[in-house]
Each structure stands twice: as structure tokens, then as C-alpha cells.
Amino acid sequence: MTEDKKPSGPDLCRGVSLAEFKDGKLLGHVGEEDVLLVQAGSEIFAIEPACSHYHGPLAEGLVVADTIRCPWHHACFSLRSGEATRPPALNALAVWEVSRDQDKIIVQRKREMPKVSVPHRTAPAPEKFVIIGGGAAAFAAAQTLRREGFAGAITMLSNDSAMPVDRPNLSKDYLAGNAPEDWLPLRGEDYYQDAGIDLRLSTKVSAIEAKTRGVTLGNGDRLPFDRLLLATGAEPVRLQIPGADQPHVYTLRSVADSRAIIKAAGSAKRALVIGASFIGLEVAASLRARKIEVHVVAPDERPMQKVLGPEMGDFVRALHEENGVNFHLKDTVEKLDGTRATLKSGGVIEAELVVVGIGVRPRLALAEQAGLAVDRGVSVSEYLETSVSGIFAAGDIARWPDPHSRQTIRVEHWVMAERQGQTAARNMLGKRERFDAVPFFWSQHYDVPINYVGHAESFDDIAIDGSISGKDCLLKYRKGGRVLAVASIYRDLDNLKAELEMERTRG
């Protein structure tokens, strides 16, 4: 909100009537602060109106029981406490007291926000929890352990040099130059100190000793554990062609990668993106925002066709072409000689900056060394526990039984990694909570967001409602008559409703 923006709607201190609500919601203000009134059943709640993730408008969200879901990226908040109950939001929202005077609804004082602190030790509990990883699942797990009242030691071992960050930003707004540095960390350094989380950066783990309950660090130190969460994530697939190891050839996974690409973009006039994946095309869009000429080379007939289908693939290609991206599809790069890229078709592209986005692979070496069951990922139960009791896995490495698709699946989605981290943390505490969240991801291309809920490894047909080219559509991906996934452009409420429908028809 800008400094000179006036508060929205009526003054809620003076009171409003239920007749003024629209679809069970009313946006007003208390003093200088905007407040959203929400009707849920017979109750009225007052909550901060912007999602704490990317400030999505909750007035356009979906009320489910006594919660509200953000229309942009499907975060969920308790209307009673303001607590963020589902990622990608991690911060609570402010809530206000509501009273009724006959038919008037009046908003009074704001409630105090709870402070994060290390719980006092009470009942005996496993004392040493170790988390291997520094990404979405690892952070969400550490935060959840403290929120759930765990008072023992939490050690996070990350091989990254940066604190846990908002990784989707690295290929989107941050890379495009639209997000400042301070947007990146999920939490500042003081959070880890205040919460009593021992975050060790640039730390390599060389082995997990499943039987003796310890991990060996790269420097030879041994760290015992009572419960362990493996959240090692994924790493970019490296390009196996001559010249791929040159210094102007980058992959994008970490903050350091994104910063290096930004630095190289400062002097580059032309960039070559190898691969038409979500990451590859988000990089292409971000580099176009920096006024760099961009060429995309990929073997696919259409971008993203395997996931989104031919119609959406054609739309994505046209959208990028409208923004100046040059496609070289059904083609591959055979060699890189300095700035000269030679294509299989015989074409040549001169580019001072090359970004490779040809997929990622799960980091499974530690799991395999520890003797955990592995099947194209770390095999876990519905409780996210591995084949070894007391060792859990979450995020990009975990392959779990998905009740909706009725398959064991592994997905590389940011939101899912966070949600799995939370469930794994509760199960490390003995809660026995099934992980049954419906997969969700979003992808941003210029001013067009694509939201995708569910999971379809393959599909028989796609039912299209609305206009893809008109940027107003809902696509249902079906197999055997069942809707396995739904994608949408600017049909946010419909996408939320599709997620809720999938939750209610699991299995």
C-alpha cells in the first residue's frame, strides 16, 4: 500500500449492516488500516485484507468453514486467529474484535499478535531433531516444530550459503529487477536466534547413520538425532554437450545463481535459454524485462505441452513472442564454442549469456547411502515417514501416495514442499497426520499468471471453459472421465473451488 493511499470503504468503527456485504465480505477501515469483514456461517470476522505472502486480495478469496483462502497462490488463514494455516503464507494476519449492536456490526480493537519464542520444556520428548536441507520443506518444518510447542534442539543443516529464501522469486520478480533483496529471505537472522533454531549454512552432510541415529558432517563431526527430516531438494540437470562448462553458462536454483545471472545480464545484449520449461520461460520473461534479446531452444513441439496441453502451449508461445522472445523449437544445442551456440538444425546463435533450464533431479545420494527405500525419489508413507522409523522426507525428493490421483507421485512445487515440511514436522512429534494436500503451483509470464491445481502425469482430454487467448479460462485435464488437474488464467476463485472439490473427493 502506498503512503498516500486512502483507507478503503466505510468506517467500521461506526458500524455497518449485513445488507452492505457482497458475497459474504465487506472491505472497510479502522482508522488508517484497511480491514476485511467476512461472514462465515452465523459469525462475522475482521481480518487484514491482504495475504501475507504476495499481498493477494482476500476479498476475492474463498471462505471455507472458519478459514479464508487467497485467490493468488492458495494460502489459507484462520479467520479466528489470523494464523497462516497453509503455505505459501508463513506470517499471520492481524485480526480485530467484532461486536454487534442490534443490526450493526462494529469493529473494535486489534488483537495483539503472538510472539515467537522457544517453548519451555515440559513433558519428556525426543530432544534432538535434525533437518537436512535449507529450502522450503526444511524451513517450514523448523518453524512448525516451534509453533507446535517442541522445546528440544532443532538443527538445520544447509549446503547453501544463503538463509532459506523465497525461491520462486529467483526466476520471477527478483531476476526481472522488480523485487528488492530484502524480499528474498523467508525470515531474518534474528528469527532463528529467537526461535532457537541452529541454522548452519554452507554445511555438507556426508552420511546418515540410520541405526546409530547420527549424521556425519563434511568436516567429520558427528551429530546425533532422535528424529531426522531429509529435505535435500533437487539440483538442476547439467547440460552434457561440448562447452557447457564455460563461465557464461548458468543454471538457476540458488540465490547465488540468480545474482550471477543478473550480473551477467548487466553487460549482455543477447541471451540463450536452453529448455522451454517453466523455469526456462520465466527466465526468458525476466531477461526481456531487462531489455535483453532472448532466444529459446527446446526439442518440444510446443512449450509446456506435456503439462498444460497443446492449446495452452500455443498460447504461452504466442505470449512470449508478443514480448519479443525468439523460439527455436524441435531443435537442440549441439555445442557451445565461446559465445557461439551451434544448433542440431545447423543454425547458429551468438549469445553472451546462456541459461540452462532442462529440468531438475532429486538429490538422493544421502538417502541411498543410508539404505532408505528409493523409487525415483525417497519413498514415504502417507505420514511422510521413510522406510526407516523416525526418519522423514519432504519436498522435491519425496514420493508419496497421493489419494486424489491414486498414484505415488513426486512433484517439484514450492507450495507442496512447504506443506509437506509442516506435516512432516507434526509427524516427527508423533501426531500421525496424513499428507493429503492437493498439489498446487503457479507460473508467471509477464502479466499473465497460470494457476494449476491437482496432478496429471497424463490425460485423455482437456475441457476448456472460456478463452485461452482472451486470458480468461479454466482447463480441466481428465483421464478415464476423472478430473485430475485444473489450470486457469484469471479464474482464481474457480481454481480455489476446484482445489476444494478435489479435497472433498479424495480417493
Side-chain angles (χ1 to χ4, degrees):
M1 191 185 295
T2 55
E3 291 298 319
D4 56 355
K5 185 180 180 296
K6 290 181 179 173
S8 304
D11 183 348
L12 301 179
C13 296
R14 297 185 173 191
V16 291
S17 73
L18 207 50
E20 295 173 63
F21 281 54
K22 186 183 176 189
D23 297 326
K25 304 187 196 84
L26 186 144
L27 188 59
H29 67 273
V30 173
E32 294 297 308
E33 294 184 279
D34 285 349
V35 176
L36 179 67
L37 286 180
V38 180
Q39 182 179 20
S42 61
E43 296 182 88
I44 306 292
F45 299 97
I47 194 165
E48 204 175 322
C51 176
S52 61
H53 176 232
Y54 284 178
H55 309 296
L58 295 181
E60 296 168 24
L62 182 66
V63 177
V64 181
D66 60 354
T67 67
I68 190 164
R69 301 184 182 191
C70 176
W72 285 2
H73 306 134
H74 294 209
C76 184
F77 299 90
S78 164
L79 289 167
R80 296 184 189 282
S81 66
E83 194 66 37
T85 59
R86 282 191 189 185
L90 299 169
N91 297 335
L93 296 177
V95 292
W96 283 259
E97 302 284 356
V98 178
S99 65
R100 286 194 178 189
D101 181 9
Q102 294 176 339
D103 66 338
K104 265 195 174 178
I105 296 153
I106 300 164
V107 179
Q108 299 170 315
R109 64 184 180 84
K110 187 197 283 192
R111 285 194 208 146
E112 276 193 40
M113 301 282 276
K115 291 185 172 64
V116 175
S117 61
V118 182
H120 292 295
R121 290 162 201 243
T122 50
E127 289 298 313
K128 297 183 179 69
F129 283 12
V130 171
I131 299 169
I132 302 176
F139 174 80
Q143 183 192 49
T144 301
L145 287 171
R146 286 295 183 235
R147 280 185 174 178
E148 292 285 336
F150 177 64
I154 301 174
T155 306
M156 264 179 92
L157 306 171
S158 172
N159 65 359
D160 203 321
S161 59
M163 290 187 299
V165 295
D166 179 22
R167 185 176 288 129
N169 237 317
L170 299 183
S171 61
K172 298 180 175 80
D173 286 341
Y174 180 69
L175 186 59
N178 300 326
E181 286 273 339
D182 59 11
W183 275 25
L184 290 181
L186 292 174
R187 286 287 189 275
E189 271 183 71
D190 55 350
Y191 167 81
Y192 299 94
Q193 293 165 1
D194 294 345
I197 297 168
D198 180 9
L199 173 61
R200 303 187 191 182
L201 301 176
S202 304
T203 300
K204 186 177 185 297
V205 176
S206 57
I208 297 168
E209 302 139 30
K211 284 184 181 171
T212 56
R213 302 278 159 167
V215 297
T216 303
L217 305 184
N219 63 4
D221 288 354
R222 186 178 182 278
L223 198 61
F225 65 81
D226 294 296
R227 299 275 189 278
L228 177 74
L229 175 63
L230 197 56
T232 44
E235 61 191 357
V237 174
R238 303 285 166 179
L239 195 60
Q240 302 296 320
I241 61 168
D245 56 350
Q246 295 179 103
H248 70 291
V249 180
Y250 300 89
T251 55
L252 176 53
R253 185 72 182 173
S254 66
V255 179
D257 294 338
S258 193
R259 285 182 182 143
I261 293 169
I262 290 168
K263 186 177 179 185
S267 57
K269 289 187 169 57
R270 185 182 296 139
L272 168 61
V273 176
I274 301 176
S277 62
F278 288 100
I279 289 289
L281 291 186
E282 286 176 0
V283 167
S286 294
L287 293 177
R288 286 299 298 136
R290 291 179 177 273
K291 309 298 183 204
I292 294 170
E293 183 183 324
V294 177
H295 292 256
V296 174
V297 176
D300 319 273
E301 186 180 350
R302 297 176 178 88
M304 304 183 190
Q305 178 171 340
K306 186 175 184 297
V307 177
L308 297 177
E311 295 90 351
M312 192 74 100
D314 285 338
F315 165 76
V316 168
R317 175 180 179 166
L319 176 64
H320 281 270
E321 286 178 335
E322 283 168 26
N323 284 275
V325 173
N326 303 282
F327 282 94
H328 308 263
L329 297 174
K330 294 195 277 189
D331 211 345
T332 54
V333 178
E334 291 206 315
K335 66 175 180 179
L336 293 164
D337 184 7
T339 58
R340 184 183 173 90
T342 304
L343 308 188
K344 188 178 181 182
S345 62
V348 171
I349 299 170
E350 289 278 350
E352 305 92 339
L353 168 60
V354 179
V355 182
V356 179
I358 55 175
V360 297
R361 60 167 61 99
R363 291 188 174 112
L364 302 178
L366 278 176
E368 290 169 338
Q369 167 273 317
L372 306 181
V374 169
D375 170 24
R376 296 163 296 145
V378 179
S379 298
V380 295
S381 69
E382 66 266 46
Y383 306 110
L384 303 180
E385 193 164 24
T386 69
S387 57
V388 175
S389 175
I391 299 181
F392 297 78
D396 291 357
I397 62 168
R399 181 172 290 277
W400 82 97
D402 172 42
H404 184 69
S405 64
R406 301 170 188 166
Q407 295 177 310
T408 58
I409 66 173
R410 184 184 70 80
V411 298
E412 294 152 2
H413 305 338
W414 177 255
V415 174
M416 291 309 284
E418 291 182 306
R419 290 181 181 177
Q420 286 185 349
Q422 291 183 339
T423 294
R426 287 191 276 267
N427 290 331
M428 290 167 80
L429 296 170
K431 302 272 186 186
R432 302 295 283 173
E433 176 185 293
R434 281 187 173 82
F435 183 75
D436 58 6
V438 176
F440 168 79
F441 73 85
W442 81 94
S443 189
Q444 183 80 26
H445 303 264
Y446 311 98
D447 61 338
V448 178
I450 300 171
N451 282 6
Y452 181 101
V453 65
H455 184 76
E457 300 257 348
S458 61
F459 42 86
D460 301 329
D461 69 294
I462 306 170
I464 302 172
D465 179 49
S467 166
I468 296 176
S469 60
K471 303 173 188 174
D472 174 25
C473 59
L474 190 82
L475 283 70
K476 294 181 179 178
Y477 299 84
R478 299 183 296 206
K479 187 160 191 175
R482 291 183 72 230
V483 175
L484 294 181
V486 171
S488 65
I489 299 174
Y490 292 125
R491 291 276 189 97
D492 295 341
L493 191 57
D494 288 338
N495 200 285
L496 280 171
K497 287 176 179 175
E499 179 182 57
L500 183 62
E501 177 66 18
M502 288 179 194
E503 289 171 6
R504 289 174 171 168
T505 56
R506 293 179 181 117

